[in-house]
Every structure is written in structure tokens, then in C-alpha cells.
């Protein structure tokens, strides 16, 4: 069956790679799918296919959904290991997954409007669309960065758009940033007690300084701590620390600790 399958793909110059992948699913049992996908990958590893979008999407799918097993063969990743930015639909490869307001796949939009104080009429002055993993704080930062005000401006947002970094940037741009109390669930006090400076963590609730801390564009702060200091910490479960061989990683949202 496999040799016939290979010959069929090599001799067929009409059907697209995407259709071949569909045939793989039809021919293969669950246990044999990866074997057939490897076959397809090997066959397509030449100049006829390697520059096509279909080939790139197939390789991306395999890399994002599988990992090397102990025997050297690929095995499916646990769903918790698959990133929200993984391929959701080959027809829309930029779409992302986010579990917010229910499971959803796609994009998120943000709209800003200006309001006349006398007439109370409003007009949309800015709109943006990004992958749905884009943080509200990043939308706010992008908007603030685009402004160049001579006169003072008041910017009203819900609390999800506010952060220490955005407050500082707004001040530099002559913007009075005002946030409402609408911020979703209240974070655990152990999370809220992380100290930050310039958008990164400087100290955990127990008073320990991280080995390193970085902030991503979507507002996530990734901090690394000494394993010996975190392993028996009573807050470890609350901050969802990931234990590694020598270190511990804590990933927090900027909005929960600002």
C-alpha cells in the first residue's frame, strides 16, 4: 500500500499537496498517520514542492502538533503543549486560538473614538485588527505611541488596557490615562504582589529577585527563578510556576500585576 501511495503522488501533477494530505487521512489509520505524513514530507522535499505555501503549512502542522518520542518516532503533543499561535486552519494560517469569552479562533479588533465635550457626539478615530492573542495592553500602547500631542488629552479605557508601562508612556505623550474598574476577575493576592519595573518582574511576593525577566509584545512577562528558592514556596501553585532541572519559570499577564 505504501509503495503504491508513493507512486501515486509522484505521478500525479494535477492534485495539490493539500489534496494529498487529505488522501493521507483517508488511507491511514490513527496509528499510521505519522508514517504517511513522513512519506509525504520526504517526497515533497525537492524543488517542485519546497517553495509552495501548501508544503510550508504541512511542515508547520507537523512541527506544531507533534514532537519526537522516546523511540525517535513522532508522537502527538498534549493539547497543553500546543501554542495558541499554532495553525488553526490552512485557509487562514494567521488566525490564532484564545480561550477568552469561550473558545474562539481568529482575530481581535480594537476601536478608539473621540468625543466632543460640548455636543457629546463621537467619531471613530482609530481602528486596529490583530491575532486574537494580542493583549489589550498592547493595543493601548500602540495607540499611545501613535500620538504626538501638544495639548493635554484624556484617554478613557477599561482596566484591561492599563499597565504601569502604559501609564508612563501616556504621561510622556501628554495623555491623562483614565481606566474604569472593569477588569474581569480579581487576581489572587499572591499574583498581584509581584513587583515590576519597566515592564518586567523585579521581585516575587516572597522577596526573591528573578534570574531574568522579559516582557513579550502581547503583554506576558516571563521570569526565571532559582529552583531552590521556589520549589517549596507556598505560593508556587498560585503563580503556576513550571519546575525545570535547575530553574523555575513563571509567566504572568501584565494586567494582573500592574
Amino acid at each position: 500500500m505504501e509503495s503504491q501511495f508513493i507512486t501515486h503522488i509522484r505521478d500525479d501533477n494535477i492534485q495539490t499537496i493539500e489534496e494529498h494530505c487529505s488522501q493521507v487521512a483517508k488511507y491511514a489509520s490513527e496509528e499510521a498517520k505519522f508514517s504517511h505524513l513522513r512519506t509525504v514530507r520526504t517526497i515533497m522535499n525537492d524543488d517542485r514542492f519546497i517553495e509552495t505555501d501548501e508544503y510550508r503549512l504541512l511542515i508547520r502542522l507537523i512541527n506544531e502538533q507533534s514532537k519526537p518520542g522516546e523511540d525517535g518516532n513522532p508522537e502527538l503533543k498534549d493539547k497543553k503543549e500546543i501554542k495558541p499561535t499554532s495553525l488553526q486552519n490552512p485557509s487562514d494560517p494567521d488566525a490564532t486560538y484564545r480561550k477568552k469569552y469561550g473558545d474562539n479562533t481568529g482575530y481581535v479588533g480594537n476601536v478608539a473614538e473621540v468625543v466632543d465635550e460640548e455636543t457629546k457626539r463621537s467619531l471613530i478615530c482609530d481602528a486596529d485588527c490583530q491575532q486574537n492573542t494580542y493583549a489589550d495592553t498592547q493595543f493601548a500602547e500602540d495607540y499611545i505611541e501613535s500620538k504626538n500631542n501638544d495639548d493635554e488629552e484624556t484617554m478613557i479605557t477599561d482596566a484591561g488596557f492599563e499597565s504601569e508601562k502604559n501609564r508612563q508612556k501616556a504621561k510622556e505623550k501628554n495623555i491623562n490615562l483614565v481606566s474604569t474598574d472593569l477588569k474581569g476577575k480579581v487576581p489572587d493576592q499572591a499574583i498581584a504582589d509581584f513587583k515590576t519595573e519597566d515592564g518586567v518582574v523585579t521581585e516575587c511576593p516572597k522577596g526573591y529577585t528573578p534570574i531574568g525577566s522579559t516582557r513579550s509584545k502581547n503583554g506576558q512577562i516571563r521570569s526565571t527563578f532559582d529552583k531552590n528558592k521556589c520549589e517549596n514556596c507556598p505560593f508556587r501553585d498560585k503563580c503556576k510556576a513550571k519546575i525545570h532541572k535547575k530553574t523555575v519559570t513563571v509567566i504572568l499577564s501584565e494586567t494582573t500585576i500592574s
Side-chain angles (χ1 to χ4, degrees), residues 7-8 15 17 20-21 36 55 65 68-69 100 119 127 144 154-155 176-178 220 223 227-228 231 239 248:
T7 302
H8 172 67
Q15 289 181 299
I17 297 172
H20 285 314
C21 293
H36 285 295
Y55 174 82
Q65 300 285 337
K100 184 178 182 181
T119 65
I144 292 170
T154 298
M155 177 178 169
N176 179 26
L177 182 59
V178 179
Q220 284 192 330
S223 304
K227 180 180 178 180
N228 295 328
E231 200 164 21
C239 64
V248 170

Side-chain angles (χ1 to χ4, degrees), residues 34-60:
F34 277 119
S35 174
H36 285 295
L37 284 173
R38 285 198 304 273
T39 301
V40 174
R41 180 173 180 170
T42 300
I43 294 169
M44 293 191 300
N45 193 22
D46 60 46
D47 293 339
R48 292 178 302 161
F49 297 108
I50 201 167
E51 297 299 326
T52 64
D53 291 337
E54 290 83 2
Y55 174 82
R56 294 191 184 100
L57 290 175
L58 175 61
I59 299 305
R60 176 183 169 187

Side-chain angles (χ1 to χ4, degrees), residues 200-214:
V200 297
V201 169
T202 57
E203 189 177 294
C204 77
K206 290 292 287 183
Y208 297 126
T209 301
I211 298 171
S213 184
T214 58

Side-chain angles (χ1 to χ4, degrees), residues 38-257:
R38 285 198 304 273
T39 301
V40 174
R41 180 173 180 170
T42 300
I43 294 169
M44 293 191 300
N45 193 22
D46 60 46
D47 293 339
R48 292 178 302 161
F49 297 108
I50 201 167
E51 297 299 326
T52 64
D53 291 337
E54 290 83 2
Y55 174 82
R56 294 191 184 100
L57 290 175
L58 175 61
I59 299 305
R60 176 183 169 187
L61 175 67
I62 294 173
N63 291 336
E64 291 178 343
Q65 300 285 337
S66 67
K67 61 183 179 181
E70 294 181 357
D71 59 358
N73 292 316
E75 61 182 31
L76 288 173
K77 290 181 179 179
D78 185 272
K79 63 181 181 180
K80 294 181 180 179
E81 298 179 276
I82 300 174
K83 297 180 179 180
T85 53
S86 64
L87 183 65
Q88 304 295 314
N89 187 329
S91 299
D92 191 4
D94 293 328
T96 52
Y97 170 84
R98 189 177 188 185
K99 193 171 185 179
K100 184 178 182 181
Y101 311 125
D103 296 353
N104 63 85
T105 299
Y107 304 87
V108 61
N110 184 66
V111 175
E113 60 179 354
V114 60
V115 180
D116 185 279
E117 293 184 1
E118 294 183 1
T119 65
K120 305 303 180 184
R121 292 178 178 177
S122 62
L123 181 69
I124 293 176
C125 60
D126 186 77
D128 194 7
C129 181
Q130 299 287 346
Q131 294 175 321
N132 67 1
T133 53
Y134 213 71
D136 291 342
T137 53
Q138 189 61 50
F139 275 121
E141 182 180 337
D142 293 344
Y143 179 77
I144 292 170
E145 287 282 10
S146 71
K147 305 296 288 183
N148 188 16
N149 295 330
D150 293 326
D151 299 324
E152 183 177 351
E153 175 182 337
T154 298
M155 177 178 169
I156 302 175
T157 71
D158 71 50
F161 291 79
E162 185 186 24
S163 69
E164 179 182 347
K165 183 178 181 181
N166 284 347
R167 287 194 295 271
Q168 182 60 40
K169 284 184 175 290
K171 185 177 180 180
E172 295 171 358
K173 293 281 188 173
N174 203 22
I175 297 174
N176 179 26
L177 182 59
V178 179
S179 64
T180 68
D181 291 332
L182 302 176
K183 196 177 179 179
K185 64 181 182 180
V186 178
D188 189 280
Q189 191 60 44
I191 301 298
D193 283 346
F194 274 85
K195 294 181 180 180
T196 63
E197 184 177 333
D198 296 330
V200 297
V201 169
T202 57
E203 189 177 294
C204 77
K206 290 292 287 183
Y208 297 126
T209 301
I211 298 171
S213 184
T214 58
R215 176 189 178 276
S216 66
K217 192 172 183 180
N218 66 5
Q220 284 192 330
I221 301 176
R222 182 185 183 94
S223 304
T224 303
F225 292 87
D226 188 320
K227 180 180 178 180
N228 295 328
K229 295 178 179 178
C230 298
E231 200 164 21
N232 298 314
C233 176
F235 298 139
R236 198 185 83 186
D237 292 337
K238 293 182 178 179
C239 64
K240 298 181 180 179
K242 295 182 179 180
I243 306 295
H244 306 293
K245 189 174 182 179
K246 295 182 179 180
T247 61
V248 170
T249 301
V250 177
I251 300 176
L252 303 168
S253 170
E254 186 178 34
T255 57
T256 62
I257 56 179

